[in-house]
Amino acid sequence: MKKRLSYLLLAVLLLISLSIAIFYAVMRSHYATQVVNQALAQFSTQPMQVEQAEFTPPLQLTLHGLTIGEEAPLYLPKVALWLHPSLPTEQTWRFDAIVIEQANLNLSQPAWATLRQFEIAQLAFKQSELVAEDWSARGVNLQIDQPTWQDEQQVLPYGDMQFSADQLYVAGHALDNLLIDARYQAENSTVYGASFNWNGAQISGQAEQYPQGWSLINVTIDKLNLDDKQPIDSWLQQLDKTGWIRDINSLDVLKSNLTYQGVRVVNLDLSAENITPNQSLWQQDNGYLSFDADSVNYQNQQWVEPSATFYFTPNQIKVAELDSDWHQGRLQLQGVFTPESVHLKQLSLSGVKWLEEAQYDLANAWHWSQSVQNLAIDKLDINNLQIIQLNQKPFWQISGLNIDGSDLVVKQHGELGLWQGELSASANSASIDKHLTTQATIEMNAEQNKWHLTRLFVPLDQGYIEAEGVWNRAELSAPWQLNATMDGLPLDSQIETHQLPINIRALAEVHMELSGLAGDYSMLAHSLSGTVSAALRQGYLNVGEHGEQSLLEQNFELDNLSIDADRGRITLQSPPLMQGIQVAGNIDLTQPSLATLLLHSQSQCQTLQWDIAAKVYQLRETCQAEPTQTSNLESSTDL
């Protein structure tokens, strides 16, 4: 019995060996193509046809001209199959590898889904062209280990992937010489390494996928060039809307030229860490950014060789360093910014010449400052600053401006002023319109909201201005005191009346000692007190339009004008003269509309009586019987 079983087993083995030998012999003959087509018809759910089949022992089968499907058939020029040693079952064929070469393949074709019925250890493409719904690639070499499909809409299977392409075209952008080493999964994919050329730049890096999007890791962009014709901001906005990038773990931009939201940067080197693109700068959590460049241009401003380092936390931007050549000088800044406050550790300007757009730039700076409620500067250092404003009248300029400040609080709760600290300033020259001063200086300090003007000295062409004072803003009533002397102060005014304008030029000598409360207007109106003594030298008065014959021209001197203020009630009086000018008036700050301010001018043949507050005057010819002109004044007023 045992011998019979041994003979039977031997016969089975011989039969199997013979079958394998016959199979190998047939597959090595010209019948291989016919056998393969019959096998495909038997085991495939899709119609398949092969033009030629080649078998290489032990388990490699090469198919030439494989057609899959009848409607919208899929044609593959060459497919190499490495069969699994186990025999196929009714449910599936198993392959150690499938390699597709030189294919022009639309991955959206239904026939492509045929591969999903096979169990494949490795799927590969060589020198193929692939097209999907939203991307296409040429010169593709692709290898996917343990490929699996989980979604019917999925065009490429999941798995460990090595992908290269001469060009990948996606979202309107061409990525050249693409290399990707990745683990492609339904969730939490990982790009171990990727590199490609885009718009002349070499880009490389790693990335990790999270439910919220991709995290870019160690990304480097080298020699990127984007101008106004190739704006980057629209592309970044598209990425922002899709949420494709969750965060930038680390990004380096090298030797690049960019235009972004009106900013033009030349030869930029930039490093960024922990940045979330779809959040504002105020929402960043532990972010970092540093850069340097040959130049930055924005809103007609050019920054030469700027460098800066920023740290971002929620509602705070720390400027560790900002250094740049600007307006032919140098700017240095360190500090902390929040949405409503600025605290500068250091602000330094040296040799800056603000010559062309001073009015425009200052207006922009003023507009920005309105959103800042608090502004503090620990160290302010301005050397040899020059500002020239020629855009609109009155023209003005400051040259050789030097400012030193320490521990400054210059805006508090939305109000400008020196609330704390010490400040001194001087200027080699300054002018407004036709008025010029040289070597002007001012010194002030504040402590606990009590402001002291310790020195103000402004030299004039024919005199000077000197002042000192105090203003206690710590108290609700804000008491203040001012002592000032002005000698040779030029006055040149055209005062409109209901008739012809009146023009006055003179050099004023003024000494004042005033005090009051500045908590609000009512406090001021009930508290202004003190004395002012004044005189006008080298005076000239005329009545008439500029360029036309004057009705009155008179040179004058006015001495001993006294102004007394007693709790908001102001009286003005000058001594009576046979010829010349007299001034008198009464003003109650609680009822300013009832003020009277009269000027009487007596020359050899003319008398002018002018109600300055009412804007009317009467001019009489004293050398003739009839007046040359009358006004709304019914009668003259004796002063």
Side-chain angles (χ1 to χ4, degrees), residues 568-572 585-592 594-597:
R569 293 181 295 273
I570 303 170
T571 60
L572 297 88
N586 291 281
I587 303 171
D588 188 344
L589 293 181
T590 62
Q591 296 177 306
L594 302 179
T596 60
L597 182 58

Side-chain angles (χ1 to χ4, degrees), residues 193-222:
S195 67
F196 56 89
N197 296 329
W198 175 65
N199 213 69
Q202 176 66 40
I203 301 175
S204 62
Q206 297 86 43
E208 293 181 347
Q209 186 188 33
Y210 294 90
Q212 302 87 352
W214 286 87
S215 175
L216 304 185
I217 302 172
N218 298 328
V219 174
T220 300
I221 302 175
D222 190 16

Side-chain angles (χ1 to χ4, degrees), residues 174-343:
L175 311 183
D176 299 321
N177 302 319
L178 176 67
L179 294 171
I180 297 178
D181 181 9
R183 173 163 290 176
Y184 178 36
Q185 302 179 138
E187 296 179 351
N188 303 328
S189 297
T190 301
V191 177
Y192 300 110
S195 67
F196 56 89
N197 296 329
W198 175 65
N199 213 69
Q202 176 66 40
I203 301 175
S204 62
Q206 297 86 43
E208 293 181 347
Q209 186 188 33
Y210 294 90
Q212 302 87 352
W214 286 87
S215 175
L216 304 185
I217 302 172
N218 298 328
V219 174
T220 300
I221 302 175
D222 190 16
K223 297 183 178 65
L224 179 61
N225 292 282
L226 292 175
D227 54 24
D228 292 333
K229 297 179 181 178
Q230 302 163 311
I232 191 175
D233 51 345
S234 60
W235 187 49
L236 292 178
Q237 288 173 6
Q238 291 175 6
L239 287 177
D240 183 34
K241 290 179 181 179
T242 60
W244 188 74
I245 298 178
R246 187 195 76 162
D247 66 78
I248 299 173
N249 181 275
S250 176
L251 170 67
D252 292 309
V253 179
L254 307 175
K255 300 180 180 64
S256 297
N257 304 309
L258 307 177
T259 299
Y260 179 64
Q261 294 186 349
V263 181
R264 177 62 179 168
V265 187
V266 177
N267 199 21
L268 171 68
D269 287 336
L270 178 146
S271 179
E273 296 178 5
N274 298 325
I275 300 296
T276 304
N278 63 355
Q279 294 181 344
S280 72
L281 293 179
W282 301 117
Q283 296 173 310
Q284 302 298 319
D285 187 9
N286 198 30
Y288 165 85
L289 186 147
S290 66
F291 76 89
D292 60 73
D294 285 352
S295 66
V296 175
N297 291 271
Y298 178 64
Q299 292 187 347
N300 298 320
Q301 299 288 322
Q302 184 178 47
W303 309 78
V304 180
E305 296 185 352
S307 63
T309 301
F310 303 94
Y311 294 91
F312 304 96
T313 54
N315 291 320
Q316 179 176 287
I317 301 174
K318 179 182 178 182
V319 183
E321 171 199 18
L322 193 156
D323 192 340
S324 176
D325 290 341
W326 180 60
H327 283 291
Q328 305 179 53
R330 188 177 183 186
L331 165 67
Q332 294 175 294
L333 182 150
Q334 292 178 309
V336 176
F337 292 73
T338 72
E340 295 185 348
S341 66
V342 177
H343 187 166

Side-chain angles (χ1 to χ4, degrees), residues 283-559:
Q283 296 173 310
Q284 302 298 319
D285 187 9
N286 198 30
Y288 165 85
L289 186 147
S290 66
F291 76 89
D292 60 73
D294 285 352
S295 66
V296 175
N297 291 271
Y298 178 64
Q299 292 187 347
N300 298 320
Q301 299 288 322
Q302 184 178 47
W303 309 78
V304 180
E305 296 185 352
S307 63
T309 301
F310 303 94
Y311 294 91
F312 304 96
T313 54
N315 291 320
Q316 179 176 287
I317 301 174
K318 179 182 178 182
V319 183
E321 171 199 18
L322 193 156
D323 192 340
S324 176
D325 290 341
W326 180 60
H327 283 291
Q328 305 179 53
R330 188 177 183 186
L331 165 67
Q332 294 175 294
L333 182 150
Q334 292 178 309
V336 176
F337 292 73
T338 72
E340 295 185 348
S341 66
V342 177
H343 187 166
L344 300 182
K345 181 179 180 181
Q346 174 195 7
L347 175 58
S348 175
L349 289 172
S350 179
V352 171
K353 294 179 174 61
W354 220 338
L355 305 179
E356 297 176 358
E357 301 293 337
Q359 187 77 8
Y360 175 79
D361 295 337
L362 291 173
N364 281 343
W366 174 257
H367 178 72
W368 168 79
S369 71
Q370 298 307 295
S371 63
V372 177
Q373 296 297 304
N374 302 286
L375 173 58
I377 306 173
D378 293 345
K379 178 63 177 176
L380 176 63
D381 184 12
I382 297 177
N383 293 301
N384 197 25
L385 176 65
Q386 183 177 13
I387 305 176
I388 299 178
Q389 192 284 119
L390 299 176
N391 287 346
Q392 64 183 38
K393 292 184 178 181
F395 302 143
W396 58 270
Q397 67 87 25
I398 302 175
S399 297
L401 176 63
N402 300 296
I403 302 176
D404 289 315
S406 60
D407 302 321
L408 302 175
V409 177
V410 295
K411 194 171 187 182
Q412 184 170 278
H413 306 305
E415 294 188 42
L416 283 171
L418 183 60
W419 298 90
Q420 187 73 28
E422 296 185 358
L423 182 69
S424 63
S426 64
N428 291 337
S429 68
S431 65
I432 180 168
D433 200 10
K434 297 179 290 184
H435 307 301
L436 174 68
T437 181
T438 57
Q439 304 303 322
T441 183
I442 184 172
E443 297 176 3
M444 64 184 75
N445 64 74
E447 185 175 359
Q448 297 180 348
N449 294 338
K450 188 174 184 180
W451 176 75
H452 294 267
L453 175 62
T454 55
R455 186 188 183 204
L456 170 66
F457 185 77
V458 180
L460 305 174
D461 282 344
Q462 301 183 51
Y464 65 92
I465 301 174
E466 192 171 30
E468 61 181 19
V470 62
W471 185 13
N472 189 356
R473 302 178 74 176
E475 297 184 14
L476 182 63
S477 60
W480 61 272
Q481 181 180 347
L482 176 65
N483 298 330
T485 298
M486 291 171 276
D487 186 5
L489 178 68
L491 303 178
D492 189 354
S493 300
Q494 182 180 77
I495 303 173
E496 298 297 328
T497 73
H498 295 307
Q499 299 141 272
L500 295 174
I502 297 178
N503 302 279
I504 295 179
R505 294 199 306 270
L507 294 177
E509 297 177 4
V510 181
H511 179 73
M512 63 179 69
E513 295 181 1
L514 299 174
S515 63
L517 304 175
D520 55 29
Y521 181 79
S522 178
M523 292 184 189
L524 178 66
H526 286 87
S527 65
L528 179 63
S529 299
T531 61
V532 178
S533 59
L536 299 180
R537 306 295 185 196
Q538 302 177 25
Y540 170 79
L541 180 147
N542 80 306
V543 179
E545 296 283 0
H546 179 71
E548 298 182 3
Q549 184 175 0
S550 298
L551 298 181
L552 169 67
E553 287 188 277
Q554 180 182 357
N555 295 317
F556 69 90
E557 301 280 336
L558 176 62
D559 291 317

